[in-house]
Amino acid sequence: MPPSEFEKMLAGELYSAADPEIQACAAAAFAWMARYNASLGLSEAARGELLRQRLGKVGAGTVVRPPFHCDYGFNIRLGAGVFLNFNCVILDVVEVRIGDGSQIGPGVQILTADHPRDPDERRGGLEFGRKVTVGRNVWIGAGAIILPGVTIGDDALIGAGAVVTKDVPAGARAMGNPARVRQ
């Protein structure tokens, strides 16, 4: 039996986002986001419980300030002590891993969703994903954009407004558009 569109999505293969199973997952995520994004007045413990209801992993002491937006949630794995500031967007058609102690500034976008370069495939509504990995103790400044397939090494710093198109080594500082490693 050939893989379902959902299975293809999770494997990072071309898939149709119009598939009913995928649309049902997105609808469940939208309903969850409505609850989560209305939770700003709740305690961190109550918000943590809401996060654990939807995300793939939520480490101890992790804080995600609403509003927060994602495609599905179940592909997001947050280590212990992770902090995501207001208005973070994670498009998680495949796995997004954020290591222990990493801090994400407001308005950061982490994107795994990608689209074919061939115009006929795009017209056909096909897309695919490439996983994103953020190491331990990484700081990502406000408004940065992390593109599909990027890995950011432990202890790296990403400057505010940076557009990260390529991997960033451990301990490096990357800034600009496109982001470049600086000494």
Side-chain angles (χ1 to χ4, degrees):
M1 176 177 245
S4 69
E5 295 300 302
F6 181 74
E7 291 167 330
K8 289 192 271 186
M9 178 185 83
L10 294 178
E13 300 170 6
L14 286 173
Y15 71 94
S16 171
D19 176 76
E21 182 180 13
I22 293 172
Q23 288 297 304
C25 289
F30 294 164
W32 174 84
M33 279 183 282
R35 288 191 311 277
Y36 189 76
N37 289 332
S39 73
L40 188 58
L42 299 179
S43 69
E44 283 186 21
R47 285 198 314 271
E49 180 55 37
L50 282 169
L51 288 172
R52 285 186 289 281
Q53 289 174 12
R54 190 74 201 163
L55 303 189
K57 178 187 174 214
V58 180
T62 288
V63 173
V64 177
R65 286 185 170 171
F68 169 74
H69 302 280
C70 62
D71 274 331
Y72 305 104
F74 50 72
N75 285 320
I76 300 171
R77 286 158 181 73
L78 306 176
V82 169
F83 176 78
L84 276 64
N85 213 328
F86 299 111
N87 213 24
C88 186
V89 174
I90 300 179
L91 300 187
D92 64 311
V93 302
V94 293
E95 185 178 79
V96 173
R97 256 186 209 279
I98 300 176
D100 295 348
S102 288
Q103 298 182 34
I104 312 294
V108 168
Q109 299 177 49
I110 299 174
L111 314 172
T112 67
D114 208 342
H115 300 277
R117 305 312 181 249
D118 179 84
D120 291 329
E121 287 180 330
R122 280 196 310 275
R123 269 191 287 283
L126 296 176
E127 56 187 67
F128 64 98
R130 294 187 288 141
K131 82 177 197 172
V132 170
T133 302
V134 175
R136 294 183 315 274
N137 196 37
V138 171
W139 170 251
I140 300 177
I145 300 172
I146 313 303
L147 293 183
V150 166
T151 295
I152 300 171
D154 296 346
D155 301 314
L157 182 144
I158 307 300
V163 178
V164 183
T165 62
K166 296 180 181 175
D167 291 353
V168 176
R173 294 173 181 238
M175 297 159 213
N177 180 5
R180 298 193 196 299
V181 172
R182 313 276 162 109
Q183 298 302 328

